PDB file of all heavy atoms in Angstrom:
ATOM      1  N   PRO A 369       2.127   7.627  84.754  1.00 97.00           N
ATOM      2  CA  PRO A 369       1.784   6.461  85.578  1.00 97.00           C
ATOM      3  C   PRO A 369       0.571   6.664  86.483  1.00 97.00           C
ATOM      4  O   PRO A 369       0.620   6.354  87.687  1.00 97.00           O
ATOM      5  CB  PRO A 369       3.069   6.255  86.393  1.00 97.00           C
ATOM      6  CG  PRO A 369       3.594   7.625  86.588  1.00 97.00           C
ATOM      7  CD  PRO A 369       3.308   8.348  85.297  1.00 97.00           C
ATOM      8  N   HIS A 370      -0.514   7.159  85.937  1.00 97.00           N
ATOM      9  CA  HIS A 370      -1.758   7.326  86.691  1.00 97.00           C
ATOM     10  C   HIS A 370      -2.901   6.806  85.829  1.00 97.00           C
ATOM     11  O   HIS A 370      -3.092   7.278  84.705  1.00 97.00           O
ATOM     12  CB  HIS A 370      -1.979   8.784  87.084  1.00 97.00           C
ATOM     13  CG  HIS A 370      -1.004   9.273  88.106  1.00 97.00           C
ATOM     14  ND1 HIS A 370      -1.153   9.011  89.449  1.00 97.00           N
ATOM     15  CD2 HIS A 370       0.138   9.986  87.983  1.00 97.00           C
ATOM     16  CE1 HIS A 370      -0.132   9.542  90.109  1.00 97.00           C
ATOM     17  NE2 HIS A 370       0.659  10.139  89.236  1.00 97.00           N
ATOM     18  N   LEU A 371      -3.636   5.838  86.360  1.00 93.00           N
ATOM     19  CA  LEU A 371      -4.677   5.152  85.595  1.00 93.00           C
ATOM     20  C   LEU A 371      -6.056   5.625  86.043  1.00 93.00           C
ATOM     21  O   LEU A 371      -6.443   5.417  87.187  1.00 93.00           O
ATOM     22  CB  LEU A 371      -4.540   3.641  85.795  1.00 93.00           C
ATOM     23  CG  LEU A 371      -5.502   2.751  85.007  1.00 93.00           C
ATOM     24  CD1 LEU A 371      -5.340   2.977  83.512  1.00 93.00           C
ATOM     25  CD2 LEU A 371      -5.257   1.289  85.349  1.00 93.00           C
ATOM     26  N   GLU A 372      -6.791   6.237  85.108  1.00 86.00           N
ATOM     27  CA  GLU A 372      -8.108   6.797  85.429  1.00 86.00           C
ATOM     28  C   GLU A 372      -9.245   6.033  84.783  1.00 86.00           C
ATOM     29  O   GLU A 372     -10.292   5.866  85.372  1.00 86.00           O
ATOM     30  CB  GLU A 372      -8.146   8.260  84.973  1.00 86.00           C
ATOM     31  CG  GLU A 372      -9.466   8.970  85.235  1.00 86.00           C
ATOM     32  CD  GLU A 372      -9.671   9.338  86.695  1.00 86.00           C
ATOM     33  OE1 GLU A 372      -8.667   9.435  87.412  1.00 86.00           O
ATOM     34  OE2 GLU A 372     -10.827   9.532  87.100  1.00 86.00           O
ATOM     35  N   ARG A 373      -9.055   5.556  83.541  1.00 78.00           N
ATOM     36  CA  ARG A 373     -10.174   5.013  82.772  1.00 78.00           C
ATOM     37  C   ARG A 373      -9.889   3.616  82.230  1.00 78.00           C
ATOM     38  O   ARG A 373      -9.722   3.454  81.028  1.00 78.00           O
ATOM     39  CB  ARG A 373     -10.497   5.951  81.600  1.00 78.00           C
ATOM     40  CG  ARG A 373     -10.858   7.361  81.963  1.00 78.00           C
ATOM     41  CD  ARG A 373     -11.007   8.253  80.745  1.00 78.00           C
ATOM     42  NE  ARG A 373     -12.237   7.996  80.023  1.00 78.00           N
ATOM     43  CZ  ARG A 373     -12.317   7.482  78.809  1.00 78.00           C
ATOM     44  NH1 ARG A 373     -11.230   7.107  78.175  1.00 78.00           N
ATOM     45  NH2 ARG A 373     -13.469   7.308  78.201  1.00 78.00           N
ATOM     46  N   PRO A 374      -9.814   2.572  83.073  1.00 84.00           N
ATOM     47  CA  PRO A 374      -9.678   1.225  82.523  1.00 84.00           C
ATOM     48  C   PRO A 374     -10.924   0.840  81.751  1.00 84.00           C
ATOM     49  O   PRO A 374     -12.006   1.390  81.953  1.00 84.00           O
ATOM     50  CB  PRO A 374      -9.495   0.347  83.764  1.00 84.00           C
ATOM     51  CG  PRO A 374     -10.151   1.115  84.855  1.00 84.00           C
ATOM     52  CD  PRO A 374      -9.929   2.566  84.539  1.00 84.00           C
ATOM     53  N   ARG A 375     -10.782  -0.124  80.858  1.00 80.00           N
ATOM     54  CA  ARG A 375     -11.888  -0.484  79.965  1.00 80.00           C
ATOM     55  C   ARG A 375     -12.844  -1.496  80.582  1.00 80.00           C
ATOM     56  O   ARG A 375     -14.008  -1.571  80.194  1.00 80.00           O
ATOM     57  CB  ARG A 375     -11.326  -1.090  78.665  1.00 80.00           C
ATOM     58  CG  ARG A 375     -10.400  -0.177  77.888  1.00 80.00           C
ATOM     59  CD  ARG A 375      -9.695  -0.930  76.763  1.00 80.00           C
ATOM     60  NE  ARG A 375      -8.841  -1.992  77.276  1.00 80.00           N
ATOM     61  CZ  ARG A 375      -9.021  -3.274  77.039  1.00 80.00           C
ATOM     62  NH1 ARG A 375     -10.042  -3.678  76.310  1.00 80.00           N
ATOM     63  NH2 ARG A 375      -8.193  -4.193  77.516  1.00 80.00           N
ATOM     64  N   LEU A 376     -12.360  -2.302  81.550  1.00 84.00           N
ATOM     65  CA  LEU A 376     -13.136  -3.444  82.016  1.00 84.00           C
ATOM     66  C   LEU A 376     -13.321  -3.417  83.520  1.00 84.00           C
ATOM     67  O   LEU A 376     -12.630  -2.704  84.247  1.00 84.00           O
ATOM     68  CB  LEU A 376     -12.415  -4.746  81.616  1.00 84.00           C
ATOM     69  CG  LEU A 376     -12.145  -4.933  80.123  1.00 84.00           C
ATOM     70  CD1 LEU A 376     -11.264  -6.148  79.897  1.00 84.00           C
ATOM     71  CD2 LEU A 376     -13.448  -5.056  79.340  1.00 84.00           C
ATOM     72  N   SER A 377     -14.298  -4.234  83.987  1.00 79.00           N
ATOM     73  CA  SER A 377     -14.579  -4.360  85.419  1.00 79.00           C
ATOM     74  C   SER A 377     -14.678  -5.821  85.800  1.00 79.00           C
ATOM     75  O   SER A 377     -15.057  -6.675  84.989  1.00 79.00           O
ATOM     76  CB  SER A 377     -15.894  -3.658  85.765  1.00 79.00           C
ATOM     77  OG  SER A 377     -15.773  -2.264  85.624  1.00 79.00           O
ATOM     78  N   SER A 378     -14.353  -6.094  87.061  1.00 74.00           N
ATOM     79  CA  SER A 378     -14.526  -7.424  87.626  1.00 74.00           C
ATOM     80  C   SER A 378     -15.703  -7.400  88.589  1.00 74.00           C
ATOM     81  O   SER A 378     -15.940  -6.379  89.244  1.00 74.00           O
ATOM     82  CB  SER A 378     -13.279  -7.856  88.395  1.00 74.00           C
ATOM     83  OG  SER A 378     -12.164  -7.958  87.550  1.00 74.00           O
ATOM     84  N   PRO A 379     -16.444  -8.499  88.696  1.00 68.00           N
ATOM     85  CA  PRO A 379     -17.523  -8.551  89.694  1.00 68.00           C
ATOM     86  C   PRO A 379     -16.959  -8.322  91.097  1.00 68.00           C
ATOM     87  O   PRO A 379     -15.956  -8.940  91.482  1.00 68.00           O
ATOM     88  CB  PRO A 379     -18.082  -9.964  89.542  1.00 68.00           C
ATOM     89  CG  PRO A 379     -17.697 -10.372  88.147  1.00 68.00           C
ATOM     90  CD  PRO A 379     -16.368  -9.722  87.890  1.00 68.00           C
ATOM     91  N   ALA A 380     -17.568  -7.430  91.847  1.00 61.00           N
ATOM     92  CA  ALA A 380     -17.027  -7.035  93.154  1.00 61.00           C
ATOM     93  C   ALA A 380     -16.962  -8.194  94.137  1.00 61.00           C
ATOM     94  O   ALA A 380     -16.129  -8.196  95.054  1.00 61.00           O
ATOM     95  CB  ALA A 380     -17.865  -5.893  93.736  1.00 61.00           C
ATOM     96  N   ASP A 381     -17.827  -9.197  93.974  1.00 58.00           N
ATOM     97  CA  ASP A 381     -17.875 -10.287  94.947  1.00 58.00           C
ATOM     98  C   ASP A 381     -17.046 -11.509  94.545  1.00 58.00           C
ATOM     99  O   ASP A 381     -17.053 -12.520  95.231  1.00 58.00           O
ATOM    100  CB  ASP A 381     -19.328 -10.720  95.175  1.00 58.00           C
ATOM    101  CG  ASP A 381     -20.013 -11.142  93.879  1.00 58.00           C
ATOM    102  OD1 ASP A 381     -19.441 -10.878  92.797  1.00 58.00           O
ATOM    103  OD2 ASP A 381     -21.101 -11.726  93.953  1.00 58.00           O
ATOM    104  N   THR A 382     -16.332 -11.435  93.419  1.00 57.00           N
ATOM    105  CA  THR A 382     -15.585 -12.606  92.972  1.00 57.00           C
ATOM    106  C   THR A 382     -14.090 -12.339  92.797  1.00 57.00           C
ATOM    107  O   THR A 382     -13.376 -13.180  92.285  1.00 57.00           O
ATOM    108  CB  THR A 382     -16.153 -13.105  91.623  1.00 57.00           C
ATOM    109  OG1 THR A 382     -15.999 -12.069  90.636  1.00 57.00           O
ATOM    110  CG2 THR A 382     -17.607 -13.500  91.751  1.00 57.00           C
ATOM    111  N   THR A 383     -13.610 -11.205  93.209  1.00 65.00           N
ATOM    112  CA  THR A 383     -12.209 -10.886  92.991  1.00 65.00           C
ATOM    113  C   THR A 383     -11.639 -10.115  94.173  1.00 65.00           C
ATOM    114  O   THR A 383     -12.375  -9.493  94.931  1.00 65.00           O
ATOM    115  CB  THR A 383     -12.042 -10.053  91.703  1.00 65.00           C
ATOM    116  OG1 THR A 383     -10.649  -9.903  91.428  1.00 65.00           O
ATOM    117  CG2 THR A 383     -12.653  -8.672  91.849  1.00 65.00           C
ATOM    118  N   GLU A 384     -10.329 -10.188  94.326  1.00 80.00           N
ATOM    119  CA  GLU A 384      -9.655  -9.413  95.370  1.00 80.00           C
ATOM    120  C   GLU A 384      -9.438  -7.998  94.863  1.00 80.00           C
ATOM    121  O   GLU A 384      -8.774  -7.780  93.851  1.00 80.00           O
ATOM    122  CB  GLU A 384      -8.309 -10.044  95.735  1.00 80.00           C
ATOM    123  CG  GLU A 384      -7.540  -9.243  96.778  1.00 80.00           C
ATOM    124  CD  GLU A 384      -6.160  -9.799  97.055  1.00 80.00           C
ATOM    125  OE1 GLU A 384      -5.785 -10.804  96.415  1.00 80.00           O
ATOM    126  OE2 GLU A 384      -5.458  -9.228  97.923  1.00 80.00           O
ATOM    127  N   ALA A 385      -9.982  -7.038  95.584  1.00 89.00           N
ATOM    128  CA  ALA A 385      -9.850  -5.642  95.179  1.00 89.00           C
ATOM    129  C   ALA A 385      -8.681  -5.012  95.929  1.00 89.00           C
ATOM    130  O   ALA A 385      -8.626  -5.041  97.152  1.00 89.00           O
ATOM    131  CB  ALA A 385     -11.137  -4.878  95.463  1.00 89.00           C
ATOM    132  N   TRP A 386      -7.757  -4.453  95.169  1.00 94.00           N
ATOM    133  CA  TRP A 386      -6.652  -3.707  95.761  1.00 94.00           C
ATOM    134  C   TRP A 386      -7.074  -2.246  95.883  1.00 94.00           C
ATOM    135  O   TRP A 386      -7.704  -1.697  94.992  1.00 94.00           O
ATOM    136  CB  TRP A 386      -5.409  -3.844  94.894  1.00 94.00           C
ATOM    137  CG  TRP A 386      -4.814  -5.221  94.909  1.00 94.00           C
ATOM    138  CD1 TRP A 386      -5.339  -6.341  94.357  1.00 94.00           C
ATOM    139  CD2 TRP A 386      -3.589  -5.617  95.537  1.00 94.00           C
ATOM    140  NE1 TRP A 386      -4.535  -7.429  94.585  1.00 94.00           N
ATOM    141  CE2 TRP A 386      -3.440  -7.002  95.315  1.00 94.00           C
ATOM    142  CE3 TRP A 386      -2.620  -4.943  96.262  1.00 94.00           C
ATOM    143  CZ2 TRP A 386      -2.343  -7.717  95.793  1.00 94.00           C
ATOM    144  CZ3 TRP A 386      -1.515  -5.658  96.733  1.00 94.00           C
ATOM    145  CH2 TRP A 386      -1.391  -7.023  96.501  1.00 94.00           C
ATOM    146  N   PRO A 387      -6.713  -1.587  96.970  1.00 94.00           N
ATOM    147  CA  PRO A 387      -7.200  -0.213  97.202  1.00 94.00           C
ATOM    148  C   PRO A 387      -6.554   0.793  96.261  1.00 94.00           C
ATOM    149  O   PRO A 387      -5.525   0.517  95.637  1.00 94.00           O
ATOM    150  CB  PRO A 387      -6.798   0.056  98.649  1.00 94.00           C
ATOM    151  CG  PRO A 387      -5.628  -0.836  98.886  1.00 94.00           C
ATOM    152  CD  PRO A 387      -5.886  -2.075  98.079  1.00 94.00           C
TER     153      PRO A 387
END
Side-chain angles (χ1 to χ4, degrees):
H370 291 280
L371 183 59
E372 180 75 22
R373 301 173 74 247
R375 301 170 297 116
L376 303 172
S377 292
S378 297
D381 57 348
T382 62
T383 187
E384 178 185 2
W386 290 70

